[in-house]
């Protein structure tokens, strides 16, 4: 898919960080972009700045997801590219101070990071399936999930987060297989350490020390590096069913 003025794209978590960089990349190429995020202030501000449209959405709410995609169908009439960036990363150990991991907290991480990704992507696929097939391969759409290197290298305190991201990585191949006959591709990006609001709150020396642990380039990832891979996945028709690590070769230590 060549991203341009005819492309309609939706980005969950598009109000901040990796999602916001993706929104900027897409609007910069002339695409019509829907920001789907629960943060109304940042979402509306980025929409004003970029010319995207903002629609509030809590991705842990299946009914709200269905309503959001019905809204996209009504206002845009089609969808070509969907990018899942909404996510949370709270830390808690399996057992701590004589208690097991809070059940609600575990379920909440999975509800947002895994269930939210799957159901948004499913509604996106339903819309894409109605697109006319594009030459030369008959492609109808592209879905990009965001996993994490924690899917394989989960650290102390990351049981819930790593399980949710391992689930996202596990979705990719069966979704690509399910949607192959519709001409819809499904990939995921597994970022390493990226400088987004998730990490911006850390003191300078901690950020520098994290960046220095990356073999090459020895720095934190720039959200633009992530957006560049979203563009490449969208535009390279042979990329399908794969989760791509984007991490400067880092492998996380236990803590
Ligand atoms: N920053 C990193 O180093 C890094 C590394 C690996 C994976 N990731 C993943 O990349 C994705 C984006 O992370 P980021 O660093 O840009 O974080 P971020 O906090 O800057 O952005 C996340 C966005 O998701 C939105 N969001 C959270 N819960 C939501 C919900 N229930 N419904 C709708 N929107 C919701 C937030 O409002 C926010 O705008 C996440 O899935 C994260 O797990 C980030």
């Amino acid at each position: 898919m060549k991203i341009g003025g005819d492309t309609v794209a939706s980005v969950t978590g598009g109000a901040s960080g990796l999602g916001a960089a993706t929104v900027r990349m897409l609007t910069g190429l002339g695409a019509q972009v829907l920001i789907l995020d629960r943060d109304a202030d940042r979402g509306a501000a980025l929409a004003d700045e970029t010319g995207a449209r903002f629609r509030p959405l809590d991705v842990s709410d299946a009914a709200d997801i269905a309503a959001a995609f019905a809204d996209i169908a009504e206002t845009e009439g089609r969808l070509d590219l969907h990018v899942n960036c909404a996510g949370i990363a709270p830390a808690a150990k399996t057992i701590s101070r004589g208690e097991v991991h809070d059940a609600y907290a575990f379920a909440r991480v999975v509800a947002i990071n895994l269930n939210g990704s799957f159901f948004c992507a499913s509604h996106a696929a339903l819309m894409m399936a109605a697109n006319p097939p594009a030459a030369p391969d008959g492609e109808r759409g592209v879905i990009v999930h965001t996993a994490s290197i924690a899917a394989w290298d989960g650290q102390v305190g990351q049981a819930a987060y790593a399980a949710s991201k391992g689930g996202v990585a596990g979705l990719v191949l069966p979704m690509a297989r399910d949607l192959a006959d519709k001409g819809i591709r499904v990939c995921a990006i597994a970022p390493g350490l990226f400088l987004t609001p998730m990490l911006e709150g850390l003191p300078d020396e901690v950020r520098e020390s994290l960046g220095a642990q990356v073999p090459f380039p020895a720095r934190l990832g720039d959200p633009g590096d992530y957006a560049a891979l979203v563009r490449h996945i969208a535009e390279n028709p042979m990329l399908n069913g794969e989760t791509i690590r984007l991490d400067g070769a880092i492998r996380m230590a236990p803590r």
Side-chain angles (χ1 to χ4, degrees):
M1 161 192 315
K2 183 94 186 124
I3 298 170
D6 295 335
T7 310
V8 181
S10 47
V11 184
T12 73
S16 176
L18 305 182
T22 302
V23 169
R24 289 197 173 90
M25 176 277 290
L26 292 167
T27 53
L29 294 169
Q32 298 157 61
V33 182
L34 279 301
I35 300 170
L36 303 171
D37 201 294
R38 68 175 177 191
D39 185 335
D41 292 342
R42 295 182 81 147
L46 187 64
D48 277 353
E49 178 200 317
T50 58
R53 193 162 75 78
F54 172 65
R55 201 275 188 197
L57 172 64
D58 179 346
V59 302
S60 66
D61 180 340
D64 198 16
I65 293 173
F69 281 87
D71 180 27
I72 296 172
E74 198 179 307
T75 54
E76 313 299 328
R78 62 179 285 131
L79 184 65
D80 305 291
L81 172 65
H82 176 76
V83 186
N84 274 323
C85 288
I88 57 169
K93 290 170 75 171
T94 303
I95 55 172
S96 177
R97 297 193 180 89
E99 303 278 350
V100 299
H101 195 298
D102 181 74
Y104 174 80
F106 190 94
R108 177 102 187 118
V109 174
V110 172
I112 293 175
N113 294 0
L114 176 57
N115 303 7
S117 294
F118 181 61
F119 290 113
C120 287
S122 303
H123 281 277
L126 200 61
M127 280 192 69
M128 291 170 184
N131 290 342
D137 298 315
E139 188 168 285
R140 288 190 171 85
V142 178
I143 292 165
V144 181
H145 293 290
T146 305
S148 164
I149 59 171
W152 305 278
D153 309 347
Q155 295 186 288
V156 165
Q158 286 195 313
Y161 182 71
S164 73
K165 294 301 189 175
V168 171
L171 280 180
V172 173
L173 184 62
M175 284 193 77
R177 288 172 163 171
D178 282 349
L179 298 169
D181 64 350
K182 307 285 187 296
I184 298 168
R185 292 186 289 115
V186 183
C187 282
I189 299 173
L193 298 169
F194 275 68
L195 188 54
T196 69
M198 269 187 183
L199 295 183
E200 269 161 15
L202 296 172
D204 285 351
E205 61 273 19
V206 176
R207 285 191 341 217
E208 274 161 31
S209 130
L210 281 174
Q213 292 171 33
V214 182
F216 185 81
R219 61 168 173 83
L220 296 174
D222 184 295
D225 302 329
Y226 171 94
L229 183 53
V230 172
R231 180 179 179 181
H232 185 77
I233 291 169
E235 295 192 340
N236 188 328
M238 278 310 278
L239 267 174
N240 195 12
E242 183 60 15
T243 298
I244 304 167
R245 288 181 75 121
L246 185 67
D247 65 3
I250 198 168
R251 299 294 179 271
M252 301 305 289
R255 59 176 82 234

